[in-house]
Amino acid sequence: MDRLTLLKTFVVVANEGSFTKAAVRLDTSNQLVSKYVAQLEKHLDTRLFNRTTRKIHLTEAGRQCLQHANHILESINDMESQLGLFNTQAKGTLHVSAPVSFSTLHLAGAIGAFQHAHPHVSINLQLNDRKIDVIDEGFDVAIRAGHLASSSLVAKKITTINLALCVSPAYLKKYGRPLHPSDLKPEHYLEYSYVNYDNNQSELIAALKANAQKSPPKLTANNGEVLTNVAKQGEGYVLQPTFIVGEALKKGELVSILDEYIPQSIALYAVYPHRKLISNKLRVFIDFLCNYFEDTPFWDR
């Protein structure tokens, strides 16, 4: 029998002054109450009660034990109450990993709005584009884009991410508009180094892979904003999500090409370790992001 149950039984007996009354209070048998008290006395190697035919009295050791037991049980109740708040209120610190460009361009605004709505939640945000281990690196949630590999983690879709192959008007004026992926010049490709198209069978991706074998890309970088800015200068073509290139497309700084060959949309996910034990602070954070960005995000409207 666990010691917590023994302590609870002992405290009730001490407060009631009777094994029989304690049994009624605990809705159990008199014999079981006596057994638990005897087990506690054996564990502590001391007598807790002096027993007479009519009444029981705490020994000196019993009085000391009662003080400690009350303190222990009160501390446990306080802990349970405090931890219970974490499941009913959005409160505490969230450790979040997220992509660099998406965070600087769009997530910052969402976090500001979230914290205005949930002022008792603090966020520790770490930005990186590499694949991180959510559990080993101590994150509550990772925001990630793309086709996710199967794992023990839970992934909830936040929004849809569309891709666009872009060049500047100056590039088109100088080299002409490609009409087919095979028309792309491999030496002009501005490549995002973290991208993984292994599971994508589109004709455009096949062409990019084939071109990479013919000639190294003009530029490889681990930041989509840098690649987009280079593309604006007419130095090559870039395949990027519209949350990065959308504004440049609207302003005419970039032009989308080969639209009919663009790979299918991907998704932005919230990836976290547990489904059943998800804290309320994480639940409201993910729900907030889903409502904030919606399935068709504002940069594509």
Side-chain angles (χ1 to χ4, degrees):
M1 176 56 60
D2 66 278
R3 281 175 282 181
L4 187 58
T5 299
L6 301 184
L7 285 177
K8 287 180 179 179
T9 303
F10 162 72
V11 169
V12 173
V13 172
N15 290 337
E16 295 293 333
S18 164
F19 285 85
T20 301
K21 291 180 180 179
V24 173
R25 176 84 176 272
L26 295 170
D27 192 25
T28 188
S29 67
N30 190 28
Q31 292 80 5
L32 194 58
V33 170
S34 298
K35 177 182 177 181
Y36 287 170
V37 171
Q39 287 180 349
L40 182 61
E41 289 179 327
K42 181 178 180 181
H43 177 74
L44 297 175
D45 194 25
T46 188
R47 180 178 290 276
L48 300 174
F49 293 102
N50 287 320
R51 301 164 176 83
T52 66
T53 55
R54 294 186 177 182
K55 206 168 184 181
I56 60 172
H57 301 275
L58 285 168
T59 63
E60 179 65 26
R63 285 191 291 270
Q64 292 184 17
C65 181
L66 181 61
Q67 291 179 353
H68 289 297
N70 282 329
H71 178 73
I72 291 170
L73 295 177
E74 287 173 3
S75 296
I76 291 174
N77 287 334
D78 289 343
M79 178 189 70
E80 290 175 342
S81 298
Q82 184 64 33
L83 292 179
L85 290 176
F86 284 86
N87 291 325
T88 58
Q89 299 178 4
K91 182 179 181 181
T93 300
L94 272 176
H95 298 272
V96 182
S97 172
V100 177
S101 294
F102 180 78
S103 298
T104 56
L105 293 173
H106 304 294
L107 187 59
I111 286 178
F114 171 80
Q115 293 193 304
H116 179 75
H118 301 280
H120 298 298
V121 178
S122 300
I123 293 179
N124 184 331
L125 178 65
Q126 300 293 320
L127 304 185
N128 59 72
D129 290 328
R130 66 177 175 83
K131 182 180 179 181
I132 60 104
D133 190 309
V134 177
I135 297 175
D136 286 351
E137 297 185 43
F139 289 104
D140 295 299
V141 61
I143 309 301
R144 285 293 175 262
H147 302 284
L148 302 179
S150 59
S151 71
S152 59
L153 300 175
V154 181
K156 182 174 181 179
K157 182 182 176 182
I158 295 174
T159 189
T160 299
I161 294 180
N162 292 307
L163 300 172
L165 186 67
C166 304
V167 296
S168 70
Y171 182 94
L172 291 181
K173 185 177 180 179
K174 185 175 182 179
Y175 296 103
R177 179 183 290 270
L179 300 178
H180 187 271
S182 61
D183 297 333
L184 293 171
K185 300 180 183 298
E187 65 273 16
H188 293 174
Y189 183 34
L190 307 173
E191 182 183 50
Y192 178 58
S193 57
Y194 281 131
V195 75
N196 183 355
Y197 294 126
D198 288 345
N199 296 321
N200 196 303
Q201 304 299 319
S202 77
E203 194 171 353
L204 175 60
I205 299 304
L208 293 178
K209 289 180 179 179
N211 286 348
Q213 296 175 354
K214 298 176 185 176
S215 175
K218 185 177 186 68
L219 171 66
T220 299
N222 63 354
N223 183 272
E225 291 175 90
V226 170
L227 296 169
T228 299
N229 288 331
V230 173
K232 289 180 187 178
Q233 300 171 31
E235 294 300 320
Y237 57 90
V238 62
L239 179 65
Q240 284 291 295
T242 53
F243 69 73
I244 293 179
V245 298
E247 191 66 23
L249 290 171
K250 291 177 182 178
K251 292 180 178 179
E253 297 172 319
L254 289 176
V255 178
S256 64
I257 59 173
L258 300 177
D259 293 344
E260 62 271 35
Y261 296 100
I262 295 300
Q264 64 182 8
S265 300
I266 56 177
L268 186 74
Y269 294 97
V271 182
Y272 55 96
H274 304 292
R275 186 184 298 277
K276 293 183 178 179
L277 300 179
I278 181 174
S279 65
N280 197 49
K281 62 184 178 182
L282 179 55
R283 183 183 297 108
V284 298
F285 179 67
I286 294 174
D287 289 344
F288 185 91
L289 293 183
C290 293
N291 292 329
Y292 184 90
F293 292 111
E294 301 182 349
D295 191 58
T296 301
F298 54 81
W299 55 79
D300 283 337
R301 295 174 203 158

Coordinates of all heavy atoms in Angstrom, one line a residue, residues 197-244:
Y197 N 12.5 17.8 -51.5 CA 11.5 17.4 -52.5 C 11.5 15.9 -52.8 O 11.0 15.5 -53.9 CB 11.7 18.2 -53.8 CG 11.4 19.7 -53.6 CD1 12.4 20.6 -54.0 CD2 10.3 20.2 -53.0 CE1 12.2 22.0 -53.9 CE2 10.1 21.6 -52.9 CZ 11.0 22.4 -53.3 OH 10.8 23.8 -53.1
D198 N 12.1 15.1 -51.9 CA 12.2 13.7 -52.2 C 10.9 13.0 -52.6 O 10.8 12.1 -53.4 CB 12.9 13.0 -51.1 CG 14.4 13.4 -50.9 OD1 14.9 13.9 -51.9 OD2 14.9 13.1 -49.9
N199 N 9.8 13.5 -51.9 CA 8.5 12.8 -52.1 C 7.7 13.6 -53.2 O 6.5 13.3 -53.3 CB 7.8 12.8 -50.8 CG 8.5 11.9 -49.8 OD1 9.1 10.9 -50.2 ND2 8.5 12.3 -48.6
N200 N 8.2 14.6 -53.8 CA 7.5 15.3 -54.8 C 7.8 14.9 -56.2 O 8.9 14.8 -56.6 CB 7.8 16.8 -54.6 CG 6.7 17.7 -55.3 OD1 6.5 17.6 -56.5 ND2 6.1 18.6 -54.5
Q201 N 6.8 14.5 -57.0 CA 7.0 13.9 -58.3 C 6.6 14.9 -59.4 O 6.4 14.5 -60.6 CB 6.1 12.7 -58.4 CG 6.3 11.6 -57.3 CD 7.7 11.1 -57.4 OE1 8.3 10.9 -58.4 NE2 8.3 10.9 -56.2
S202 N 6.5 16.2 -59.1 CA 6.1 17.2 -60.1 C 7.2 17.3 -61.2 O 8.4 17.1 -60.9 CB 5.9 18.6 -59.5 OG 7.1 19.2 -59.2
E203 N 6.8 17.7 -62.4 CA 7.7 17.9 -63.5 C 8.7 19.0 -63.2 O 9.9 18.9 -63.6 CB 6.9 18.2 -64.8 CG 7.7 18.0 -66.1 CD 6.9 18.1 -67.3 OE1 5.6 18.1 -67.2 OE2 7.4 18.1 -68.4
L204 N 8.3 20.0 -62.6 CA 9.2 21.1 -62.2 C 10.3 20.7 -61.3 O 11.5 21.0 -61.5 CB 8.4 22.3 -61.6 CG 9.3 23.5 -61.1 CD1 10.1 24.1 -62.2 CD2 8.4 24.5 -60.4
I205 N 10.0 19.9 -60.3 CA 11.0 19.5 -59.3 C 11.9 18.5 -60.0 O 13.2 18.5 -59.7 CB 10.3 18.8 -58.1 CG1 9.4 19.8 -57.4 CG2 11.3 18.2 -57.2 CD1 10.1 21.0 -56.9
A206 N 11.4 17.7 -60.9 CA 12.3 16.8 -61.6 C 13.3 17.5 -62.4 O 14.5 17.2 -62.5 CB 11.5 15.8 -62.5
A207 N 12.8 18.6 -63.0 CA 13.7 19.5 -63.8 C 14.8 20.2 -63.0 O 16.0 20.2 -63.4 CB 12.9 20.5 -64.6
L208 N 14.4 20.6 -61.8 CA 15.3 21.3 -60.9 C 16.4 20.3 -60.4 O 17.6 20.6 -60.3 CB 14.6 21.9 -59.7 CG 13.7 23.1 -60.0 CD1 13.0 23.5 -58.7 CD2 14.4 24.2 -60.6
K209 N 16.0 19.1 -60.1 CA 16.9 18.0 -59.7 C 17.9 17.7 -60.8 O 19.1 17.6 -60.6 CB 16.2 16.8 -59.3 CG 15.4 16.9 -58.0 CD 14.8 15.5 -57.7 CE 14.0 15.6 -56.4 NZ 13.3 14.3 -56.1
A210 N 17.4 17.6 -62.1 CA 18.2 17.3 -63.2 C 19.2 18.4 -63.5 O 20.4 18.2 -63.8 CB 17.3 17.0 -64.4
N211 N 18.7 19.7 -63.4 CA 19.6 20.8 -63.6 C 20.7 20.9 -62.6 O 21.8 21.3 -62.9 CB 18.7 22.1 -63.6 CG 17.9 22.2 -64.9 OD1 18.1 21.5 -65.8 ND2 16.9 23.2 -64.8
A212 N 20.4 20.5 -61.3 CA 21.4 20.6 -60.3 C 22.5 19.6 -60.6 O 23.7 19.9 -60.1 CB 20.7 20.3 -58.9
Q213 N 22.2 18.6 -61.3 CA 23.3 17.6 -61.6 C 24.1 18.1 -62.8 O 25.3 17.8 -62.9 CB 22.7 16.3 -62.0 CG 22.0 15.6 -60.9 CD 21.2 14.3 -61.3 OE1 21.2 14.0 -62.5 NE2 20.7 13.6 -60.3
K214 N 23.6 19.0 -63.6 CA 24.3 19.6 -64.7 C 25.2 20.7 -64.3 O 26.3 20.8 -64.8 CB 23.3 20.1 -65.8 CG 22.4 19.1 -66.4 CD 21.4 19.7 -67.4 CE 20.4 18.7 -67.9 NZ 19.4 19.4 -68.8
S215 N 24.7 21.6 -63.4 CA 25.4 22.8 -63.0 C 25.0 23.2 -61.6 O 23.8 23.1 -61.3 CB 25.1 23.9 -64.0 OG 25.8 25.1 -63.6
P216 N 26.0 23.6 -60.8 CA 25.6 24.0 -59.4 C 24.7 25.3 -59.5 O 24.8 26.1 -60.4 CB 26.9 24.3 -58.8 CG 27.9 24.6 -59.9 CD 27.4 23.7 -61.0
P217 N 23.8 25.4 -58.5 CA 23.0 26.6 -58.5 C 23.8 27.9 -58.4 O 24.9 27.9 -57.9 CB 22.1 26.4 -57.2 CG 22.2 25.0 -56.9 CD 23.5 24.5 -57.4
K218 N 23.2 29.0 -58.9 CA 23.9 30.3 -58.8 C 24.1 30.7 -57.4 O 25.2 31.3 -57.1 CB 23.0 31.3 -59.6 CG 23.7 32.7 -59.7 CD 22.8 33.6 -60.4 CE 23.5 35.0 -60.7 NZ 24.7 34.8 -61.7
L219 N 23.2 30.4 -56.6 CA 23.3 30.7 -55.1 C 22.5 29.7 -54.3 O 21.4 29.3 -54.7 CB 22.7 32.1 -54.9 CG 22.6 32.5 -53.4 CD1 24.0 32.6 -52.7 CD2 21.8 33.8 -53.3
T220 N 23.1 29.2 -53.3 CA 22.4 28.4 -52.3 C 22.5 29.1 -50.9 O 23.5 29.5 -50.5 CB 23.1 27.0 -52.2 OG1 23.1 26.3 -53.4 CG2 22.4 26.1 -51.1
A221 N 21.3 29.2 -50.3 CA 21.2 29.9 -49.0 C 20.2 29.2 -48.2 O 19.3 28.6 -48.7 CB 20.9 31.3 -49.2
N222 N 20.3 29.4 -46.8 CA 19.4 28.8 -45.9 C 18.3 29.8 -45.5 O 17.7 29.6 -44.4 CB 20.1 28.2 -44.7 CG 20.8 29.2 -43.9 OD1 20.9 30.4 -44.3 ND2 21.3 28.8 -42.7
N223 N 18.1 30.8 -46.2 CA 17.1 31.9 -45.9 C 16.4 32.3 -47.2 O 17.0 32.8 -48.1 CB 17.8 33.1 -45.2 CG 16.8 34.1 -44.8 OD1 16.5 35.0 -45.6 ND2 16.3 34.0 -43.6
G224 N 15.1 32.1 -47.2 CA 14.3 32.4 -48.4 C 14.2 33.9 -48.7 O 14.1 34.3 -49.9
E225 N 14.3 34.7 -47.7 CA 14.2 36.2 -47.9 C 15.4 36.7 -48.7 O 15.3 37.5 -49.6 CB 14.1 36.9 -46.6 CG 12.7 36.7 -45.9 CD 12.7 37.4 -44.6 OE1 12.3 38.6 -44.5 OE2 13.0 36.7 -43.6
V226 N 16.6 36.1 -48.3 CA 17.8 36.5 -49.1 C 17.7 36.1 -50.5 O 18.0 36.9 -51.4 CB 19.1 35.8 -48.4 CG1 20.3 36.0 -49.3 CG2 19.3 36.4 -47.0
L227 N 17.3 34.8 -50.8 CA 17.1 34.4 -52.1 C 16.1 35.2 -52.9 O 16.3 35.5 -54.1 CB 16.7 32.9 -52.1 CG 17.6 31.9 -51.5 CD1 17.0 30.6 -51.3 CD2 18.9 31.7 -52.4
T228 N 15.0 35.6 -52.2 CA 14.0 36.4 -52.9 C 14.6 37.8 -53.3 O 14.3 38.3 -54.4 CB 12.8 36.6 -52.0 OG1 12.2 35.3 -51.7 CG2 11.7 37.5 -52.6
N229 N 15.3 38.4 -52.4 CA 15.9 39.7 -52.7 C 16.9 39.6 -53.8 O 17.0 40.5 -54.6 CB 16.6 40.3 -51.4 CG 15.6 40.7 -50.4 OD1 14.4 41.1 -50.7 ND2 15.9 40.6 -49.1
V230 N 17.7 38.5 -53.9 CA 18.6 38.3 -55.0 C 17.8 38.2 -56.3 O 18.2 38.8 -57.4 CB 19.5 37.1 -54.8 CG1 20.3 36.8 -56.0 CG2 20.4 37.4 -53.6
A231 N 16.7 37.4 -56.3 CA 15.9 37.3 -57.5 C 15.3 38.6 -57.9 O 15.2 38.9 -59.1 CB 14.7 36.3 -57.2
K232 N 15.0 39.5 -57.0 CA 14.5 40.8 -57.4 C 15.5 41.6 -58.2 O 15.1 42.5 -59.0 CB 14.1 41.6 -56.1 CG 12.9 41.2 -55.3 CD 12.7 42.1 -54.1 CE 11.7 41.6 -53.2 NZ 11.5 42.4 -52.0
Q233 N 16.7 41.3 -58.0 CA 17.8 42.0 -58.7 C 18.1 41.5 -60.1 O 19.0 41.9 -60.8 CB 19.1 42.0 -57.9 CG 18.9 42.6 -56.5 CD 20.1 42.4 -55.6 OE1 21.3 42.2 -56.1 NE2 19.9 42.2 -54.3
G234 N 17.3 40.4 -60.5 CA 17.4 39.9 -61.8 C 18.5 38.9 -61.9 O 19.0 38.6 -63.1
E235 N 18.9 38.3 -60.8 CA 20.1 37.4 -60.8 C 19.7 35.9 -61.0 O 20.6 35.0 -61.0 CB 20.9 37.5 -59.5 CG 21.5 38.9 -59.4 CD 22.5 39.2 -60.5 OE1 23.2 38.3 -60.9 OE2 22.6 40.3 -61.0
G236 N 18.4 35.6 -61.1 CA 18.0 34.2 -61.2 C 16.6 34.0 -60.9 O 15.8 34.9 -60.6
Y237 N 16.2 32.7 -60.8 CA 14.8 32.3 -60.4 C 14.8 31.6 -59.1 O 15.8 30.9 -58.7 CB 14.2 31.5 -61.6 CG 14.9 30.2 -61.9 CD1 14.6 29.0 -61.3 CD2 15.9 30.2 -62.9 CE1 15.3 27.8 -61.6 CE2 16.6 29.0 -63.2 CZ 16.3 27.8 -62.6 OH 16.9 26.7 -62.9
V238 N 13.7 31.7 -58.4 CA 13.6 31.1 -57.1 C 12.3 30.5 -56.9 O 11.2 31.0 -57.3 CB 13.9 32.2 -56.0 CG1 12.8 33.3 -56.1 CG2 13.9 31.6 -54.6
L239 N 12.3 29.3 -56.2 CA 11.0 28.6 -55.9 C 10.8 28.8 -54.4 O 11.6 28.3 -53.6 CB 11.1 27.2 -56.2 CG 9.9 26.3 -55.8 CD1 8.6 26.8 -56.6 CD2 10.1 24.8 -56.0
Q240 N 9.8 29.6 -54.0 CA 9.6 30.0 -52.6 C 8.1 30.0 -52.3 O 7.2 30.1 -53.1 CB 10.1 31.4 -52.3 CG 11.7 31.5 -52.2 CD 12.2 30.8 -51.0 OE1 11.9 31.2 -49.9 NE2 12.9 29.7 -51.2
P241 N 7.8 29.8 -51.0 CA 6.4 29.9 -50.6 C 5.9 31.4 -50.7 O 6.6 32.3 -50.6 CB 6.4 29.5 -49.1 CG 7.8 29.8 -48.7 CD 8.7 29.5 -49.9
T242 N 4.6 31.5 -51.0 CA 4.0 32.8 -51.2 C 4.0 33.7 -50.0 O 3.8 34.9 -50.1 CB 2.6 32.7 -51.8 OG1 1.8 31.9 -50.9 CG2 2.6 32.1 -53.2
F243 N 4.2 33.1 -48.8 CA 4.3 34.0 -47.6 C 5.6 34.8 -47.6 O 5.7 35.8 -46.9 CB 4.1 33.2 -46.3 CG 5.2 32.2 -45.9 CD1 6.4 32.7 -45.4 CD2 5.0 30.9 -46.0 CE1 7.5 31.8 -45.1 CE2 6.0 30.0 -45.6 CZ 7.3 30.5 -45.2
I244 N 6.5 34.4 -48.4 CA 7.8 35.2 -48.6 C 7.7 36.0 -49.8 O 8.0 37.2 -49.8 CB 9.0 34.2 -48.7 CG1 9.2 33.5 -47.3 CG2 10.2 35.0 -49.1 CD1 10.4 32.6 -47.4

